[in-house]
Amino acid sequence: MAVIEIKNVAKRFGEYQALHDINLTIADQEFMVLLGASGCGKSTLLRIICGLETATEGEIWIGGKRVDHLAPKDRGISMVFQNYAVFPHLTVFENIGFGLRMQKMSNDDVKRRVERTAGLMHIEQLLTRYSGELSGGQRQRVAVARALAMEPDVILMDEPLSNLDALLRMEMRAELKGVLAESNTTAIYVTHDQVEAMSMADRISVMHEGKIVQAASPIEVYRNPAAEFVAGFIGNPPMNFLEATPQGGGKFSVAGHSFDGPSAANSNLQFAIRPEDMTLAENGFPAVAKVVEPLGAHLLVTCELDGKLFRAILDSEMQVKPGETLKLAPVKDRIRWFDPETTLAVA
Amino acid sequence: MNPRLLPYVLILPVTLFLCLFFLYPFVLVAQQAFSNGSGFTMSNFRDVTEHWKFPISLKNTFLLALAVVPIQLALSLLMATMVTKMKKGRDLILYVWTIPLGISDLAAGIIWLAIFEQSGFLNSMMGGLGLIDSPTNFLSYTSPVMVFVAIMLAEIWRATAIMLVILVAGIGLIPKEYYEAGEVFGATPWQRFLKITLPMLRPSLQTALVLRVILAFEVFAVVQALGGTLFPVLMGETYAYQFELLNGGAAAAIALIILAISITFTLIIMRALRVPKGATI
Ligand SMILES: Nc1ncnc2c1ncn2[C@@H]1O[C@H](COP(=O)(O)OP(=O)(O)OP(=O)(O)O)[C@@H](O)[C@H]1O
Ligand SMILES: [Mg+2]
């Protein structure tokens, strides 16, 4: 149980600046997901929090205590590594009990703890095996069990599910979330998989080029992206963008149609809308369908609109042929606006 | 070609080569050891083992192996860990440390003889510093400990690098994440060495120890150069039987005894350091 505060953390590797002035507070028992594309600095931030890397600037506080000068073991954290790092020369039992042994815990206590955590992760029957005799999913469970066995205040996970197949990943996602909620730990979970992030997180921190662009609940990140990057990164397919020119009086012209925009703005803006927030309507934008992809539950249509590609998700019953012109209208209260200068959202 | 047969076909030339130049001479040696011209006999073995020098040379060989190998193991582990931690100059240091590997064992013995003999470097250095009045003969029958120490030093100097290179390669294969996991779960650097490096290094330790121990039982030229007859070892006895006493049967018998010892120790080392099934990286 601990609050984590990241204050003005920056990290440089020689000339290269991997993290810029990161500020983030993670509440006690919160499940925080760090989401971002490959190379944006997620692992670096996680490693700074756990003490495997030192920040060039800034402070890390865990549970009201400044920890940047402490060794990883003294920070009350434990970690699940991306490649599991389950020791091959130890049995599953000894792997789970590794940290406890390092604390010189008595044999009986180690046994009790290991058996309980193994039970939580459903790997009681594997305790005598070596990691070479485990499947990827089982190894993953061992790595989580080893972290949980420490009964840490904070558990850090670096893409723990990325090596599993899609089905197993979905299964583990739910299970992991359940186990962590039970254990009352604060969790930081790194992933580049937005579905994983949306489904597990209490809050998502979207990272981009070493900065945190938005930290908010999954639904907030999805509905009200704070920046163009978030709008273009979250959602599959992501938001559509169209040029908007001011007409005065808070009105904006978008592809020949007029919409109510942010009243304070009188420069060019980006009009953004999610593909599923488009409906067919007589007074809609004329869009020429280019590619039609039936996805089962719905129909994904990629059209050309205002000289740009534009995606719409329509009812799967719809019959749309490539070349056909559709009349697409946005759901009014789902329209978002971004300033192309700052790339930030404007309301 | 049947792909299952292909590997066998490919190793056939090497196998034939080995049979011709190793197995065949080996059979000849065995024949020589177990025969006296007319038929099967153990008399060669009886003769060599009952000779008064045999227990001494056996004891000396073991003593030397026991004194040298653990020191070399510790030293090479220490050096390998240090080299692995280096960021710059690591290759240079490795080259320097492996120079003795490129020197023949007789030459190594002679180098150390030049240090320890009566007119050697050590004497002239100590004389120059005023530590001794007149040069002493370190390598004489009156100072057997000194002879032993000189041989030990020469052996350590000469053959530690072979273990070092094997261990450096082995340590390089251990993924960094295991050490990070060790650190996060509270292992001190010493514990990480004991609980992660050593066990994960088992295959390399196996190779290094087997190689080194076999070499230790075959020790000859260094001992010959530094100790001469003062420190008889098994291989020296083989040489003496073959070329001084012209008794090929006895020489073959000792050679087989050395082989048996080497095989025994190889098996012991392999067994002691074996990696359990499923426990590989
Ligand atoms: N030890 C290092 N030395 C130099 N540069 C580094 C080092 N570690 C990371 N970087 C750089 O910092 C940036 C961020 O790396 P990081 O590993 O944090 O990315 P990530 O967001 O975890 O990516 P991924 O999703 O691929 O794991 C990368 O551009 C990387 O090249
Ligand atoms: Mg990463």
Side-chain angles (χ1 to χ4, degrees):
Chain A
M1 276 176 282
V3 177
I4 304 168
E5 291 160 281
I6 300 162
K7 299 181 180 171
N8 306 101
V9 165
K11 176 71 185 177
R12 273 183 296 276
F13 292 110
E15 289 291 288
Y16 181 75
Q17 180 119 22
L19 294 176
H20 302 260
D21 195 33
I22 302 276
N23 283 287
L24 190 63
T25 302
I26 298 152
D28 183 25
Q29 299 185 30
E30 189 174 23
F31 194 113
M32 170 63 89
V33 170
L34 297 182
L35 175 66
S38 191
C40 70
K42 309 179 294 288
S43 297
T44 306
L45 181 56
L46 201 71
R47 291 165 60 83
I48 288 174
I49 297 170
C50 90
L52 290 171
E53 202 85 69
T54 41
T56 316
E57 282 163 39
E59 300 171 6
I60 306 285
W61 293 66
I62 297 177
K65 197 169 69 170
R66 186 167 172 192
V67 298
D68 353 324
H69 54 282
L70 297 181
K73 68 176 168 63
D74 301 322
R75 296 186 179 199
I77 49 140
S78 64
M79 181 146 170
V80 180
F81 289 82
Q82 179 163 3
N83 300 320
Y84 318 135
V86 169
F87 299 116
H89 59 285
L90 298 178
T91 58
V92 168
F93 184 99
E94 287 304 326
N95 260 293
I96 300 177
F98 186 87
L100 309 175
R101 295 253 190 247
M102 293 300 124
Q103 295 176 348
K104 305 258 182 305
M105 188 181 269
S106 78
N107 273 333
D108 287 347
D109 291 342
V110 170
K111 190 161 185 296
R112 206 169 309 127
R113 273 269 198 115
V114 169
E115 278 168 1
R116 207 193 57 230
T117 8
L120 278 180
M121 295 310 296
H122 307 294
I123 45 174
E124 308 95 316
Q125 73 289 2
L126 304 177
L127 287 176
T128 55
R129 292 218 205 154
Y130 288 102
S131 83
E133 303 165 315
L134 301 178
S135 71
Q138 290 169 331
R139 226 171 283 171
Q140 167 59 42
R141 285 168 190 271
V142 176
V144 176
R146 178 174 62 181
L148 287 174
M150 303 293 287
E151 297 186 352
D153 299 326
V154 177
I155 190 163
L156 307 174
M157 288 169 276
D158 194 350
E159 312 207 23
L161 305 184
S162 62
N163 290 340
L164 305 182
D165 65 54
L167 201 65
L168 197 55
R169 206 182 313 178
M170 204 150 83
E171 206 178 287
M172 282 298 289
R173 212 154 69 195
E175 192 174 328
L176 205 53
K177 169 110 194 178
V179 169
L180 285 173
E182 293 272 303
S183 68
N184 300 332
T185 44
T186 309
I188 304 184
Y189 186 105
V190 164
T191 182
H192 59 245
D193 179 342
Q194 46 167 306
V195 181
E196 213 166 281
M198 297 292 283
S199 68
M200 297 179 85
D202 292 329
R203 242 175 356 132
I204 298 179
S205 294
V206 184
M207 290 185 68
H208 179 50
E209 292 177 350
K211 298 188 186 82
I212 291 185
V213 191
Q214 184 173 19
S217 71
I219 200 68
E220 177 74 9
V221 169
Y222 189 79
R223 280 287 160 236
N224 299 312
E228 259 186 70
F229 171 77
V230 181
F233 185 72
I234 305 264
N236 186 18
M239 280 185 126
N240 294 301
F241 293 98
L242 293 172
E243 307 292 335
T245 42
Q247 296 171 314
K251 291 226 173 278
F252 284 83
S253 157
V254 179
H257 289 61
S258 186
F259 292 93
D260 286 329
S263 44
N266 53 10
S267 59
N268 281 356
L269 291 182
Q270 291 279 338
F271 163 103
I273 185 82
R274 294 225 168 259
E276 67 270 29
D277 295 331
M278 299 303 291
T279 52
L280 291 176
E282 263 318 300
N283 60 349
F285 300 122
V288 183
K290 294 271 182 202
V291 184
V292 181
E293 298 166 78
L295 299 179
H298 42 246
L299 194 70
L300 174 61
V301 186
T302 306
C303 326
E304 192 177 311
L305 172 56
D306 201 22
K308 287 166 86 177
L309 287 184
F310 189 98
R311 294 192 186 82
I313 289 177
L314 303 175
D315 193 280
S316 60
E317 306 271 297
M318 286 276 310
Q319 299 290 326
V320 181
K321 283 187 196 62
E324 204 174 310
T325 300
L326 302 171
K327 292 276 194 182
L328 294 171
V331 175
K332 286 266 163 31
D333 60 355
R334 292 283 167 83
I335 298 169
R336 298 292 175 268
W337 305 89
F338 294 96
D339 183 342
E341 293 285 309
T342 62
T343 80
L344 297 180
V346 277
Chain B
M1 162 108 18
N2 186 338
R4 296 219 337 251
L5 281 179
L6 187 64
Y8 296 97
V9 173
L10 289 178
I11 63 164
L12 194 64
V14 180
T15 316
L16 283 179
F17 183 84
L18 274 180
C19 287
L20 196 60
F21 292 100
F22 175 75
L23 220 50
Y24 180 61
F26 174 75
V27 170
L28 288 186
V29 168
Q31 223 171 29
Q32 209 175 6
F34 286 107
S35 69
N36 55 2
S38 53
F40 176 83
T41 174
M42 292 296 283
S43 69
N44 283 325
F45 287 91
R46 214 170 307 123
D47 288 350
V48 297
T49 51
E50 279 170 3
H51 191 270
W52 66 272
K53 265 176 117 178
F54 180 79
I56 302 176
S57 42
L58 186 67
K59 190 192 80 185
N60 282 346
T61 308
F62 271 93
L63 208 62
L64 191 60
L66 200 68
V68 167
V69 177
I71 294 180
Q72 290 187 316
L73 179 62
L75 213 57
S76 54
L77 271 172
L78 180 73
M79 284 154 70
T81 338
M82 289 189 327
V83 168
T84 320
K85 293 244 159 65
M86 285 176 187
K87 291 212 171 70
K88 284 198 191 104
R90 158 194 167 141
D91 289 348
L92 185 70
I93 299 251
L94 260 184
Y95 286 140
V96 172
W97 281 355
T98 46
I99 285 175
L101 265 191
I103 294 171
S104 86
D105 45 355
L106 184 59
I110 292 171
I111 291 175
W112 285 84
L113 185 64
I115 296 174
F116 282 106
E117 68 188 347
Q118 197 147 14
S119 55
F121 299 136
L122 190 59
N123 265 312
S124 42
M125 204 168 77
M126 283 165 72
L129 292 173
L131 294 173
I132 48 171
D133 297 330
S134 62
T136 39
N137 186 1
F138 294 111
L139 304 174
S140 87
Y141 69 95
T142 52
S143 50
V145 175
M146 200 56 216
V147 173
F148 186 71
V149 170
I151 295 173
M152 259 179 70
L153 280 176
E155 275 291 282
I156 291 171
W157 176 82
R158 182 179 72 84
T160 303
I162 182 76
M163 299 180 82
L164 175 69
V165 285
I166 296 172
L167 295 185
V168 167
I171 289 181
L173 286 179
I174 303 176
K176 200 172 97 252
E177 264 195 341
Y178 291 119
Y179 291 104
E180 295 183 344
E183 200 177 338
V184 168
F185 290 103
T188 59
W190 176 240
Q191 282 172 321
R192 291 203 286 276
F193 177 74
L194 286 185
K195 305 274 177 190
I196 300 172
T197 310
L198 275 189
M200 299 195 68
L201 205 54
R202 261 187 305 208
S204 309
L205 282 173
Q206 230 179 28
T207 315
L209 270 178
V210 166
L211 266 180
R212 186 57 201 109
V213 167
I214 289 176
L215 281 179
F217 290 127
E218 289 173 355
V219 68
F220 174 56
V222 169
V223 175
Q224 198 70 21
L226 288 168
T229 51
L230 295 176
F231 194 81
V233 287
L234 286 176
M235 207 43 117
E237 290 312 286
T238 317
Y239 183 84
Y241 274 116
Q242 180 75 35
F243 295 106
E244 285 160 21
L245 304 172
L246 301 179
N247 184 349
I254 291 213
L256 285 189
I257 292 174
I258 297 175
L259 180 67
I261 295 172
S262 296
I263 291 178
T264 311
F265 274 83
T266 303
L267 292 178
I268 292 174
I269 293 167
M270 304 266 270
R271 173 88 199 162
L273 293 174
R274 98 182 168 288
V275 179
K277 186 176 151 286
T280 42
I281 298 178

